[in-house]
Amino acid sequence: MLPIDIFLSALANGLMTGAVYALVALGLTLVYGVLHIINFAHGATLTAAMYAVWVAHDRFGLDPYVAVFPLTVLFFALGYALQRYVIGPASHGSDSNILLVTLGLSILIENALLAGFRSDTRSIDVPYGFSVVEIGALFLSLPKVIAFAASFVVAGLLWLLMAHTDIGKAIRAVSREKTGAALSGIHVEHVYAVTFGLGAACLAIAAALLMPTFLVNPRVGNAFVLVAFTIVVLGGMGSVAGALLGGLIIGVVESLSGLYFGESLGQIGIFLIFILVLLVRPSGLFGARA
């Protein structure tokens, strides 16, 4: 039997990793869950955001936690423009066409990054990269502790935006009845674009939180997006709280599975939990029952 301090350390690391997973899933749950659009470009956009953080640090000397502010605004604008002027017109409003358009965008972004940065793995060297926080018998990575706290702040802000602002109410109205929302005066295309922008902004924040401890290459986003899709379904499509809780569960399951079964088998536990939840509650933990 493993010592209790090793178990608690794996549990804490799982929670912190899960919080970042949740942040990646927040944007996806808005686009996929609320607007019922499958965005296959989500992982490639995360990769582009991680490269943007790397460029900001390598070329302009910006710390990732400083770069997060301009990059969040930049990626919101890029996400808005992408939906408003590329995905929307190219898909002609059809969900099946949107799937193909976002899949094409994913391939385009990945190959553009491969051409621009080649396949080399890149990282950011920051002074606090290996700093630790001592909590009792646990020694936790400082960047992961910051990422854990920031994920809760972002999730809280997103929940406030969705619950108490006009644009949040418009997003929820469009998700429930697009035609009725349009007849009541809501600009549906603008709401779609804002939602994509919010999703891209969440990825920019996630990228800034990831880069002090993760490496980036042109295909790194694929590893995160599969987990993010699992979290969205596990937590309940369109639920901010569900994405946060689902991310924490996935992070803990992955960490403990890796501890007991080996790192290469860590993700098996994720999909076992996923199948179990679908059997017991197909709508997810926070999803509405049919």
Side-chain angles (χ1 to χ4, degrees):
M1 186 172 179
L2 290 171
I4 187 65
D5 57 332
I6 294 179
F7 174 82
L8 291 176
S9 179
L11 183 65
N13 276 294
L15 286 172
M16 289 184 286
T17 302
V20 178
Y21 284 163
L23 197 52
V24 177
L26 280 175
L28 197 62
T29 203
L30 277 177
V31 177
Y32 178 54
V34 178
L35 298 181
H36 313 300
I37 294 173
I38 300 173
N39 179 18
F40 278 111
H42 200 72
T45 308
L46 174 64
T47 308
M50 293 175 76
Y51 271 110
V53 175
W54 180 83
V55 169
H57 180 270
D58 188 70
R59 305 297 163 83
F60 303 104
L62 286 181
D63 185 274
Y65 299 145
V66 176
V68 68
F69 297 103
L71 289 181
T72 299
V73 176
L74 174 64
F75 271 77
F76 174 82
L78 289 174
Y80 184 98
L82 200 62
Q83 165 60 28
R84 190 70 187 272
Y85 303 112
V86 178
I87 296 175
S91 65
H92 305 291
S94 167
D95 288 352
S96 59
N97 289 347
I98 289 174
L99 185 151
L100 295 175
V101 171
T102 57
L103 183 60
L105 276 173
S106 174
I107 296 171
L108 180 66
I109 293 171
E110 282 187 2
N111 282 280
L113 292 173
L114 191 60
F117 297 96
R118 303 185 182 280
S119 59
D120 299 339
T121 298
R122 300 168 192 269
S123 62
I124 286 179
D125 184 18
V126 290
Y128 51 82
F130 294 99
S131 299
V132 296
V133 177
E134 185 177 354
I135 302 176
L138 300 179
F139 294 89
L140 306 176
S141 165
L142 176 61
K144 287 190 175 182
V145 172
I146 293 173
F148 180 79
S151 298
F152 276 87
V153 172
V154 173
L157 291 175
L158 196 57
W159 178 82
L160 286 174
L161 183 144
M162 294 293 292
H164 298 290
T165 66
D166 290 341
I167 189 62
K169 293 173 184 174
I171 290 173
R172 288 188 286 127
V174 170
S175 73
R176 291 174 183 170
E177 180 50 62
K178 183 172 70 174
T179 304
L183 290 173
S184 66
I186 294 176
H187 193 319
V188 173
E189 294 305 320
H190 172 68
V191 170
Y192 268 59
V194 168
T195 306
F196 258 83
L198 289 172
C202 286
L203 291 178
I205 299 171
L209 297 174
L210 283 168
M211 280 309 292
T213 53
F214 278 80
L215 308 175
V216 61
N217 63 60
R219 301 192 185 279
V220 72
N222 295 331
F224 288 94
V225 77
L226 183 59
V227 176
F229 269 111
T230 305
I231 291 169
V232 169
V233 178
L234 177 61
M237 297 178 185
S239 170
V240 173
L244 186 59
L245 181 60
L248 295 177
I249 291 173
I250 291 297
V252 169
V253 169
E254 182 184 44
S255 179
L256 295 182
S257 298
L259 179 66
Y260 285 102
F261 304 116
E263 190 172 347
S264 60
L265 299 177
Q267 291 203 333
I268 288 180
I270 293 177
F271 298 105
L272 289 177
I273 292 293
F274 177 63
I275 293 170
L276 181 63
V277 171
L278 285 181
L279 289 173
V280 176
R281 189 177 171 83
S283 58
L285 298 175
F286 284 76
R289 290 183 182 276

